[in-house]
Amino acid sequence: DAKTTQPNSMESNEEEPVHLPCNHSTISGTDYIHWYRQLPSQGPEYVIHGLTSNVNNRMASLAIAEDRKSSTLILHRATLRDAAVYYCILRDREGGGADGLTFGKGTHLIIQP
Amino acid sequence: KAGVTQTPRYLIKTRGQQVTLSCSPISGHRSVSWYQQTPGQGLQFLFEYFSETQRNKGNFPGRFSGRQFSNSRSEMNVSTLELGDSALYLCASSLGLTSGPPNTGELFFGEGSRLTVL
């Protein structure tokens, strides 16, 4: 699986936007970019995913660079509940549907009140 | 709808024992995957089952095994426990489809089973 690189930690203030970067310079043409997050004492939860175009959902936005070698998860207005470890993951769509995720270390997002 | 249920939530075992963990997926989901989470190694993929067949396997020794039943419920077993097996074991379920938009399926995780080996 292609690897992703994320900052170890980031800090932001409550009610401000947060931009979480992810580098994936060896991404292949068939890799989807997925984001999951893990709140304290919980299992990971899906946030968003995309292939080439920017994506929006109720939780966040995903901005994908034109060359697809990097992406940014955007939380438009962070709350204390958004404090979590955020994982950027590549999933090969040719993987035959076998749903194993390769997690990196992720970014520990700290939200200050 | 009900989420992914893992039992037991906490357990303590001693070295050399074996342990069985259970995972009940979301109704209608046919894929169950298992992960080990430790402070040092982070989240690591163990294996994935779909329709009672193991489809994918991570890099873990043969002491780690699993199975899936016809109702999609899954169990994982760790034999001859070692201190290093102390971890949070997470189960995730998904539709696991191989047709349609491939590999875009969201995974739903349980809260995990925390195993302590003494």
Side-chain angles (χ1 to χ4, degrees):
Chain A
D1 292 333
K3 286 193 172 180
T4 63
T5 304
Q6 300 176 253
N8 289 334
S9 65
M10 290 185 65
E11 200 167 311
S12 182
N13 295 319
E14 198 176 10
E15 298 189 7
E16 290 185 356
V18 179
H19 290 235
L20 296 166
C22 180
N23 287 320
H24 28 78
S25 58
T26 60
I27 191 171
S28 74
T30 56
D31 281 335
Y32 283 77
I33 302 158
H34 289 246
W35 285 81
Y36 280 74
R37 71 179 186 181
Q38 187 172 20
L39 302 171
S41 302
Q42 294 188 26
E45 65 175 348
Y46 168 85
V47 177
I48 200 167
H49 77 274
L51 182 61
T52 55
S53 305
N54 294 345
V55 184
N56 300 296
N57 66 19
R58 63 173 181 80
M59 287 181 71
S61 296
L62 176 61
I64 301 172
E66 200 168 326
D67 63 5
R68 301 212 322 127
K69 294 187 176 183
S70 65
S71 60
T72 302
L73 179 70
I74 302 166
L75 306 179
H76 294 286
R77 202 160 164 262
T79 68
L80 295 177
R81 196 198 173 275
D82 292 319
V85 178
Y86 286 77
Y87 298 97
C88 170
I89 301 164
L90 302 182
R91 298 182 71 185
D92 181 1
R93 78 171 187 175
E94 301 300 330
D99 284 337
L101 298 180
T102 300
F103 287 85
K105 297 296 185 185
T107 296
H108 184 199
L109 177 63
I110 300 164
I111 304 295
Q112 297 289 355
Chain B
K1 62 184 175 183
V4 177
T5 303
Q6 292 189 244
T7 56
R9 291 292 314 280
Y10 303 91
L11 66 167
I12 299 173
K13 293 283 187 178
T14 56
R15 278 182 299 174
Q17 287 187 310
Q18 65 102 23
V19 66
T20 299
L21 308 177
S22 178
C23 173
S24 292
I26 290 171
S27 177
H29 284 189
R30 295 166 66 190
S31 169
V32 173
S33 50
W34 289 89
Y35 297 81
Q36 181 196 65
Q37 186 169 30
T38 60
Q41 298 298 318
L43 269 159
Q44 293 185 286
F45 170 68
L46 280 156
F47 29 65
E48 186 253 357
Y49 286 86
F50 179 82
S51 293
E52 302 179 66
T53 300
Q54 188 181 89
R55 268 198 315 197
N56 200 359
K57 189 177 187 302
N59 189 26
F60 277 81
R63 299 186 297 108
F64 293 81
S65 63
R67 59 178 176 168
Q68 187 180 33
F69 302 95
S70 58
N71 62 358
S72 293
R73 190 178 71 86
S74 177
E75 288 181 347
M76 68 162 283
N77 183 275
V78 188
S79 62
T80 319
L81 284 166
E82 301 176 359
L83 295 178
D85 297 331
S86 294
L88 179 67
Y89 289 88
L90 290 157
C91 154
S93 81
S94 72
L95 292 171
L97 300 176
T98 57
S99 60
N103 250 4
T104 60
E106 177 182 348
L107 268 65
F108 295 83
F109 284 81
E111 293 188 305
S113 293
R114 184 165 294 282
L115 170 66
T116 301
V117 182
L118 302 176

